[in-house]
Amino acid sequence: MRKIAASEIDELTYHLCVKANCFILEDIKQGLGNALLHSTGRQKDVLSILVENVELAEQTRVPICQDTGIVVVFMDIGQEVMVVDGYIEEAINSGVRRAYHDAYLRNSVVSDPIIRKNTDDNTPAMIHTRIVKGSSLRLIVMPKGSGGENMSGLWMFKPADGVNEIVNTLVMHVKQVGAFSCPPLIIGVGIGGSFEVAPLLAKRALLRQIGESHPEHHIAEIEHKLLEKINRLKIGPAGLGGSPTVLSVNIETCATHIASLPVAMNLCCYANRHCEGTL
Amino acid sequence: MHPKKIHTPLDKETILSLHAGEHVFLSGDVYTLRDAAHKRLVGLYDSHHLVGKEREKKLDISGQIVYYTGLTPLLPHGCPGSAGPTTSARMDKYTTRLLDAGMAGMIGKGPRGMDIVRSIRDHQSIYFVAVGGAGAFLAQRIKKAEIVAFDDLGCEAVFRLSVEDFPLWVGVDSKGKTMWDTMLG
């Protein structure tokens, strides 16, 4: 067994929280830059502000967005890893707590969904754990704001519905809610699994680089169709009209039941903040 | 075309002169107000015995512009690092009550419900849209931030922000015309 100290997990979480909130990923920066190059008028004004925003955040180390999110953590633990000197989830929450305090990130978590009292340290993180082969521990930290989350959805289609029905439903949904989020959007779609699996697939789909198609041709085709149709909605950057409305549509799939066709869509703002590290 | 420069407090004449879709630079004081503070403020306004007393404690929003945002904590220099708009439609439930109380206008992101569009028209108010996701950029245009109420709400407390050339678009004008109508038309 390989021993990893809980304090190392704490430290890694800390750094990933700060980095994800202040530094945008290169593929997204390029996507935004390309969109700016092809824009005119009001779209150009808005995209220039967004490009300047990410540059400012990086240079002055301030958060890209004031909604520094609830912290979603994807953790892959090698089955040969043994965590010592502490409990994993406490270590992750400690990293979140310290990062949000030290880096002046906003505390955006309430302890009870009905009473709604702020926890004042942005914990707990939403942790999704997989036990995998090997002897390393990988963390992906994704601060997720509510602008996109509140506009996301889950649909339980019938197997008879087919691809067109799915595509039309998702496009109609974005038409209704896209402007409430922060376009140009990155859209994660999860197809298959059981009721709880599809939304998690949708969220994991956001982790794929933008513009990189699904390896399976028939899924890549659906991605392409969704991208085209959603961009034809002309919701535009910041919802102020024009193009682009979406920078990337990423689909992840999973096996499912003979009677089921769950589809989940997770909307994400243009910044799609996340970063990863491995111990 | 350069955006029109406007200053708070916005007088009726200025509000009436602005049209849906128009780009403006706003300067002056605005007040942050989001979910929890809306709930509390409307609760106070509806508790008649508290109105006079609480309004004296700088809670009177009449004539003011409200900004739907929850700031990141103030940095040592006294301003937030990031301060972009949040989704306005979440406040729709409270908006007419605050317009009745004299709120002059709002800043946020995204469309409003039809009932709120009508309410904005009936009150000759105005709704501006800021660029969602541009928190770092917009924070640079905040020159001063000061907490004025509900400090127990943390990031949902009410702050008075002194802004300079805040880039906005008119989302709903005082005639009840929306930027989204003009986009479709």
Side-chain angles (χ1 to χ4, degrees):
Chain A
M1 296 295 275
R2 180 187 163 216
K3 288 181 182 170
I4 294 179
S7 58
E8 292 177 70
I9 298 172
D10 180 335
E11 202 56 25
L12 179 59
T13 307
Y14 178 96
H15 288 292
L16 293 177
C17 283
V18 176
K19 195 174 160 194
N21 270 297
C22 305
F23 299 90
I24 202 169
L25 291 166
E26 206 49 48
D27 59 313
I28 295 161
K29 210 186 271 181
Q30 278 177 19
L32 209 55
N34 278 338
L36 176 62
L37 272 181
H38 296 98
S39 65
T40 54
R42 189 192 285 162
Q43 289 72 45
K44 193 170 184 174
D45 290 341
V46 173
L47 288 165
S48 309
I49 288 177
L50 292 179
V51 166
E52 196 176 327
N53 186 67
V54 298
E55 284 168 359
L56 260 172
E58 193 173 298
Q59 286 156 13
T60 59
R61 268 187 173 251
V62 297
I64 294 162
C65 176
Q66 78 290 340
D67 188 352
T68 51
I70 191 164
V71 179
V72 177
V73 176
F74 291 105
M75 173 164 59
D76 288 348
I77 308 180
Q79 63 178 358
E80 288 151 46
V81 169
M82 187 173 160
V83 176
V84 296
D85 299 329
Y87 173 51
I88 306 176
E89 294 201 1
E90 272 169 20
I92 289 174
N93 282 322
S94 166
V96 169
R97 187 178 297 121
R98 294 189 305 113
Y100 274 67
H101 175 268
D102 292 358
Y104 292 86
L105 306 177
R106 196 181 80 183
N107 295 324
S108 312
V109 176
V110 294
S111 56
D112 178 295
I114 306 298
I115 297 169
R116 307 198 73 80
K117 173 144 180 33
N118 202 302
T119 61
D120 292 328
D121 63 5
N122 218 51
T123 69
M126 302 292 117
I127 305 169
H128 305 290
T129 307
R130 282 193 305 208
I131 296 172
V132 298
K133 289 179 187 167
S135 58
S136 56
L137 188 151
R138 182 169 81 133
L139 290 182
I140 302 173
V141 164
M142 175 189 261
K144 197 72 174 73
S146 260
E149 295 288 277
N150 286 348
M151 302 305 147
S152 300
L154 170 69
W155 295 264
M156 300 304 282
F157 285 100
K158 299 178 196 70
D161 287 335
V163 170
N164 282 346
E165 179 80 18
I166 295 173
V167 167
N168 290 340
T169 302
L170 297 188
V171 172
M172 272 315 283
H173 185 73
V174 175
K175 184 177 180 181
Q176 281 159 6
V177 304
F180 295 111
S181 182
C182 289
L185 304 167
I186 318 279
I187 295 180
V189 177
I191 306 180
S194 38
F195 176 76
E196 80 288 6
V197 167
L200 209 48
L201 286 172
K203 184 145 262 132
R204 282 191 186 276
L206 294 172
L207 303 174
R208 201 198 309 152
Q209 288 217 347
I210 67 167
E212 190 184 293
S213 299
H214 192 278
E216 304 247 25
H217 182 64
H218 68 291
I219 302 298
E221 269 189 349
I222 304 174
E223 289 177 339
H224 186 68
K225 211 178 264 183
L226 282 168
L227 184 85
E228 282 217 326
K229 287 197 170 198
I230 293 171
N231 271 331
R232 258 185 255 148
L233 296 173
K234 304 276 181 205
I235 293 168
L240 301 184
S243 285
T245 301
V246 60
L247 291 178
S248 189
V249 178
N250 303 345
I251 301 179
E252 292 295 330
T253 64
C254 179
T256 190
H257 187 276
I258 48 172
S260 288
L261 180 45
V263 177
M265 176 162 63
N266 197 186
L267 265 54
C268 192
C269 64
Y270 79 95
N272 191 12
R273 297 163 294 178
H274 63 271
C275 61
E276 67 170 88
T278 303
L279 293 171
Chain B
M1 205 175 72
H2 290 295
K4 187 190 274 186
K5 294 203 176 206
I6 55 175
H7 291 81
T8 64
L10 286 184
D11 54 38
K12 265 286 167 274
E13 197 185 334
T14 307
I15 291 176
L16 293 174
S17 74
L18 296 170
H19 302 289
E22 199 171 342
H23 189 17
V24 296
F25 276 166
L26 178 85
S27 298
D29 288 351
V30 299
Y31 290 79
T32 73
L33 205 69
R34 52 171 294 145
D35 310 63
H38 267 82
K39 190 176 181 187
R40 191 176 292 180
L41 192 57
V42 166
L44 284 173
Y45 281 0
D46 288 341
S47 315
H48 297 293
H49 65 288
L50 279 174
V51 172
K53 193 174 139 203
E54 289 300 327
R55 282 187 176 179
E56 280 165 26
K57 289 187 192 168
K58 305 179 200 168
L59 272 178
D60 191 354
I61 55 151
S62 73
Q64 305 297 346
I65 300 291
V66 156
Y67 181 22
Y68 301 143
T69 184
L71 311 173
T72 55
L74 303 187
L75 295 167
H77 73 278
C79 285
S82 202
T86 193
T87 309
S88 307
R90 280 203 324 278
M91 316 311 155
D92 281 3
K93 199 176 166 191
Y94 305 104
T95 299
T96 299
R97 181 69 187 85
L98 294 187
L99 286 169
D100 286 344
M103 173 172 67
M106 299 143 277
I107 303 168
K109 71 167 174 178
R112 309 301 299 261
M114 276 319 293
D115 52 334
I116 300 308
V117 172
R118 282 191 290 270
S119 202
I120 289 169
R121 179 198 62 197
D122 294 346
H123 289 83
Q124 295 194 326
S125 175
I126 190 158
Y127 166 59
F128 298 102
V129 178
V131 175
F137 176 92
L138 292 168
Q140 295 273 319
R141 302 196 173 201
I142 295 173
K143 300 303 161 191
K144 204 173 147 198
E146 188 185 3
I147 196 159
V148 291
F150 310 156
D151 53 353
D152 60 302
L153 294 180
C155 67
E156 298 203 64
V158 181
F159 287 78
R160 178 171 42 235
L161 305 179
S162 176
V163 305
E164 203 175 277
D165 288 341
F166 222 56
L168 304 172
W169 282 262
V170 179
V172 182
D173 67 23
S174 56
K175 314 278 188 307
K177 220 164 174 269
T178 81
M179 154 180 268
W180 299 277
D181 300 335
T182 61
M183 270 158 54
L184 294 171

